[in-house]
Structures are given as C-alpha cells and as structure tokens.
C-alpha cells in the first residue's frame, strides 16, 4: 500500500496542479480528445446506423464491421498511423474514431431496429411520412439503446485516449509514459488512478443519462430496453 | 514481405509469447466467471451487486490497470503475471454477465425434469445446466477471446514481450512493415482462437448442429 501513498503524495503535491503539464490541463486535454473522437464517430455512424435500423437492410454489414474492428489492436492502428502521419494528434484522433464507430453504429442500428413494428405501422397508419416516423417515433424510442452505444464508445475512447500520449504530448497518458521512462512509479500510478477515476465518472454519468432517457424520452414501458443495452461490451485495447 | 522474410524467427517467438499470455488468461476467466455467473443467476440479490461491480471493473482502462496491479498484488511491473492478472480481470468482468444469462437461458422445466428423474444437484449442474448453457456462454467467450488477444499487445508498452512488441518497436524504429506484421499476426491469432472456440462449441453441443438453422443468441455490442 506504500505505493498508493506515494501516488497520493504525488497527487496532493501542488506543483503537479499548475502549468501546461498540470493535472487540470491534462484532464481537460483528455476530455477534449475524447469528446472530439466520439462526436466525429457519432456524425459518421449515427445517420448510417439509424438508416440501417429503419430499412432493416445491411445488418450483416454492421456485424462484419464490428467484428473486424474488434480484432484490430488499437495500438497497432495508432503506431501505423503515427508512422504515416508523424508525431502529433492526427494519428490518435483517427485511431480513436475508428475505435468508437462500431459501438455507435451498433447502438443506433439495434435501437431503431428493436422498435416494435406495430408502433411504426400505427405511425404510418395515422399518416406520418417516413421522415416523421424516423425522427418522431423511432429515434425517441431507440434513445436508451442509442445512448448505450454512445456510452460504450465514450468509455472505450476515454480509456484508449491514454495512448494518445504515445505519439503526442497530450492527455493523462503522459503521466504513464513519462513515469515509465523515468521509473517514477508514483507518477505512473497517480496517472493511472486519474484515468481510472475519469472513466468511472463518465460511466456513472452515462448510466444516469441512459436511465433518464428511458424514463423521459422513451415510454416508461421501454425502461427494460435500457437495462438490456447494459449487456457486456467488447473490451477496447487500453 | 521482405521484413517478414528476414525476421520470421522473432515473429514466431513473439507469437508464442502472445499465446502464452492470452490462453491462460482466457482459461482463468472462464473458470472464475462461470461459478460467479451461476451464483448471480441463482441468487439475483447477490447477483445484481456482483454484476454491477463487474461492469465497473470493466470500466477501468487497461494501461492504467497494468500499472495498478503490481501495486495491489506485489508482482513486478514487467512480468507476464501482471498481464495475465489484468487480462483475467477484464475477462471475468466481461463474462460474468454472459454466464448469468447463459444459465438463465436454460429452460427451468428441463431442470425440474432432471431433478424428477433423480439427478443430484451436482449432477444437474454438470450434466444439465452447464451443457445447455454452453451456446450462450460460448458467444461470450468468443468476444472475450478476441478482445483478450487484441489487448495483449498493450503489454508491449510496459515491456512485456508479445506481438505488440512489433508495434512499439516498429514505431520507434520507423518500420511500417514491422507494425503491419504485428497487426496482421494479432488479428490472425484472434481469428484462430475464434475458430477453435467455434469448433469446441460444435463438439460440446452435438444436438445444436442437428438443427443449426436455429440462430444462437449472439453477443452484440450496443
């Protein structure tokens, strides 16, 4: 437990809380790259996922993409992109987007596809056009599962954003890599605890958001859907 | 291709290291997660807490976990034990829910029938519950296997040799062919594990192949 005390001492040292390498800056950088990657993935994957769920075509394609993406080691993608694009943020950002897309896609597609066909049929019967059905019926009802996909993606990205420090001076991963190089275990452990705390915090926030979405946006009867989307997710490399 | 032809002995050695890290972790995950999943399914009150704890455990990022484990267990940072423990933690976190679902998928009437024809509780578990839970369980194990094989590469960052070493070494020395070899070899190993698991599943559930048109419940990410 001595090591944890050292890490705690490192964390409570005011010198580590100021300046460009300070904890607040690193946390903000970490959150910024996470947010950027998940947003980009959502812009790319949400419309595609909703479309696939709505038309119920191309589900096999989603499965194939998710399966293949799961097998790619993110460290490999990152290093390969790093060699091609050079040191900097471009390589980790692209690698993180690639990591986030399958989860967002699967969440959107599964959520929309699971909407009861009787409900969409009723919507069509009262004269809604396909656009209205998608935006006013399917997306609200799919919200809990759709948010579940974003939650899985965010969690993977916030964890893997640690690797961004491998090719750039960015994010909380910096403490891990500089601690590894200088054999400063306290710094490494402090960085590790910070990333873990950040990931757990986001996880709890998303869980609460998902419950809220199930209660408010989708009908209370669909709360079960939110619980189901809590199923095991694939593990991201880092 | 040229890089590979010059360095294949190293690639083979690293593949072996990769295998020796991922296979024990996978085995341990199954051995630990199945009893917990069974307990969670039989006693939902304890089970809910266990499953919640597992999903939180799963939220801990891998590289940080690799650094936290030596501090908790007193194993050296750069040792295979650190890797195997970390991979097992994730494997268990991922599998317990599937294991609980797998036992939940067994028709209670089948269980009652087994009791009625005189099976002891132990025999019900080994000869009825477990075999019937295999299809769902296997879907979960396949997800864990692929992610474990992929995750092993992270160990290269703390200096545990695996195919991930090709990724970090190739990056530092600027050899794209070495990095590409590492990626392809890792994916190939993951596919091999998956194929072996599918074959094992067929062997363990001979009744499923007779009416294999019935789709097995698939683990999907949401």
């Amino acid at each position: 437990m001595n090591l944890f005390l050292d890490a705690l001492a490192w964390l409570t040292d005011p010198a580590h809380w100021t300046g460009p390498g300070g904890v607040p800056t690193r946390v903000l950088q970490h959150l910024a790259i996470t947010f950027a990657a998940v947003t980009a993935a959502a812009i790319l994957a949400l419309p595609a996922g909703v479309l696939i769920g709505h038309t119920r075509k191309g589900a096999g394609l989603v499965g194939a993409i998710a399966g293949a993406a799961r097998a790619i080691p993110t460290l490999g993608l990152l290093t390969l992109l790093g060699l091609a694009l050079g040191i900097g943020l471009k390589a980790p950002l692209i690698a993180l987007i690639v990591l986030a897309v399958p989860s967002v896609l699967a969440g959107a597609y599964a959520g929309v596809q699971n909407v009861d066909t009787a409900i969409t049929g009723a919507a069509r019967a009262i004269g809604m056009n396909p656009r209205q059905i998608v935006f006013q019926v399917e997306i609200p009802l799919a919200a809990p599962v759709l948010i579940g996909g974003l939650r899985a993606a965010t969690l993977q990205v916030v964890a893997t954003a640690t690797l961004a420090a491998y090719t750039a001076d960015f994010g909380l991963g910096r403490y891990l890599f500089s601690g590894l190089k200088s054999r400063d275990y306290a710094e490494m452990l402090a960085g590790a605890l910070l990333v873990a705390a950040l990931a757990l915090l986001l996880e709890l926030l998303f869980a609460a958001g998902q419950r809220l979405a199930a209660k408010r946006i989708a009908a209370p009867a669909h709360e079960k859907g939110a619980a189901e989307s809590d199923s095991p997710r694939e593990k991201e490399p880092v | 291709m040229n890089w590979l032809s010059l360095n294949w002995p190293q690639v083979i050695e690293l593949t072996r290291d990769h295998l020796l890290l991922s296979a024990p972790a996978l085995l341990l995950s199954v051995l630990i997660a199945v009893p917990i999943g069974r307990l969670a399914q039989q006693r939902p009150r304890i089970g809910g807490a266990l499953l919640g704890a597992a999903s939180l455990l799963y939220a801990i990022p891998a590289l940080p976990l690799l650094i936290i484990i030596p501090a908790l267990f007193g194993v050296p940072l750069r040792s295979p034990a650190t890797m195997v423990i970390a991979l097992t933690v994730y494997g268990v976190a991922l599998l317990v829910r599937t294991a609980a679902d797998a036992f939940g998928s067994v028709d209670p009437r089948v269980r009652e029938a087994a009791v009625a024809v005189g099976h002891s509780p132990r025999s019900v578990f080994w000869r009825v519950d477990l075999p019937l839970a295999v299809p769902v369980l296997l879907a979960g194990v396949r997800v864990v296997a692929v992610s474990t094989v992929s995750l092993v590469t992270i160990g290269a960052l703390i200096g545990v040799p695996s195919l991930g070493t090709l990724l970090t070494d190739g990056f530092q020395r600027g050899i794209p062919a070495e990095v590409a070899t590492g990626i392809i070899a890792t994916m190939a190993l993951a596919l091999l594990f998956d194929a072996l698991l599918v074959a094992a599943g067929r062997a363990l559930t001979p009744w499923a192949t007779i009416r294999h048109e019935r789709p097995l419940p698939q683990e999907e990410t949401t």
Side-chain angles (χ1 to χ4, degrees), chain A residues 21-182:
Chain A
V23 173
T25 319
R26 294 284 185 215
V27 170
L28 283 179
Q29 286 175 341
H30 206 95
L31 285 173
I33 194 169
T34 303
F35 184 74
V38 174
T39 308
I43 291 169
L44 288 171
L46 276 184
V50 170
L51 195 71
I52 291 167
H54 178 73
T55 59
R56 293 166 199 254
K57 280 181 193 138
L61 186 75
V62 175
I65 293 176
R70 185 152 49 201
I72 301 175
T74 303
L75 181 63
L77 193 62
L78 175 73
T79 46
L80 204 58
L81 286 167
L83 285 179
L85 303 171
I87 297 291
L89 273 182
K90 254 187 260 163
L93 195 57
I94 296 174
L96 290 175
I97 293 171
V98 171
L99 181 73
V101 160
S103 298
V104 179
L105 197 64
Y109 132 81
V112 172
Q113 176 147 339
N114 283 343
V115 172
D116 195 338
T117 43
I119 297 175
T120 48
R124 200 173 305 118
I126 61 166
M128 281 187 161
N129 61 34
R131 194 193 170 81
Q132 285 172 318
I133 292 177
V134 168
F135 284 99
Q136 294 176 21
V137 178
E138 287 180 333
I139 292 182
L141 286 175
V145 181
L146 199 141
I147 294 175
L150 286 172
R151 170 185 175 183
T154 306
L155 205 66
Q156 287 178 321
V157 171
V158 80
T160 314
T162 318
L163 286 187
Y166 194 62
T167 63
D169 178 21
F170 206 81
L172 287 168
R174 202 60 244 154
Y175 295 132
L176 305 186
F177 287 112
S178 82
L180 266 170
K181 291 243 161 64
S182 56

Side-chain angles (χ1 to χ4, degrees), chain B residues 3-93:
Chain B
W3 184 88
L4 184 60
S5 64
L6 291 172
N7 294 279
W8 64 267
Q10 192 203 357
V11 175
I12 291 193
E13 195 183 324
L14 291 173
T15 307
R16 202 205 56 198
D17 292 339
H18 206 104
L19 209 62
L20 289 179
L21 290 170
S22 37
L26 191 61
L27 196 66
L28 280 173
S29 306
V30 175
L31 289 180
I32 297 171
V34 168
I36 298 179
R38 162 83 170 178
L39 182 73
Q41 192 263 324
Q42 283 191 323
R43 308 223 189 296
R45 198 171 292 174
I46 313 171
L50 277 174
L51 296 183
S55 76
L56 270 188
L57 212 59
Y58 187 71
I60 299 172
L63 186 58
L65 186 67
L66 284 181
I67 288 160
I68 294 170
I69 279 173
L72 279 180
F73 292 88
V75 290
L77 179 63
R78 279 163 223 268
S79 71
T82 306
M83 265 328 277
V84 173
I85 294 174
L87 294 168
T88 306
V89 167
Y90 286 128
V92 170

Side-chain angles (χ1 to χ4, degrees), chain A residues 3-4 71-73 75-77 79-80 83 106-107 148-149 152 155 159 163 166-167 176-177 180 185 188-189 192-193 195-196 199-200 229-230 232-238, chain B residues 56 58-64 67-68 70-72 77-78 90 94 97-98 146-147 150-151 153-154 157 167-168 170-172 174-176 179 183 186-187 219-222:
Chain A
L3 294 166
F4 284 105
I72 301 175
L75 181 63
L77 193 62
T79 46
L80 204 58
L83 285 179
L155 205 66
L163 286 187
Y166 194 62
T167 63
L176 305 186
F177 287 112
L180 266 170
Y185 200 86
M188 241 191 292
L189 193 56
L193 294 173
V195 183
L200 289 176
S229 75
D230 216 18
R233 299 167 303 248
E234 68 202 66
K235 182 67 202 169
E236 75 291 353
V238 155
Chain B
L56 270 188
Y58 187 71
I60 299 172
L63 186 58
I67 288 160
I68 294 170
L72 279 180
L77 179 63
R78 279 163 223 268
Y90 286 128
L94 203 57
R97 192 177 289 270
T98 320
V146 171
S147 74
S150 171
L151 206 55
T153 54
I154 297 302
L157 291 171
L167 307 178
T168 51
F171 177 69
Q172 276 154 12
I175 311 171
V179 178
I183 296 176
T186 308
M187 291 178 77
E219 271 308 306
E220 257 315 339
T221 28
T222 49

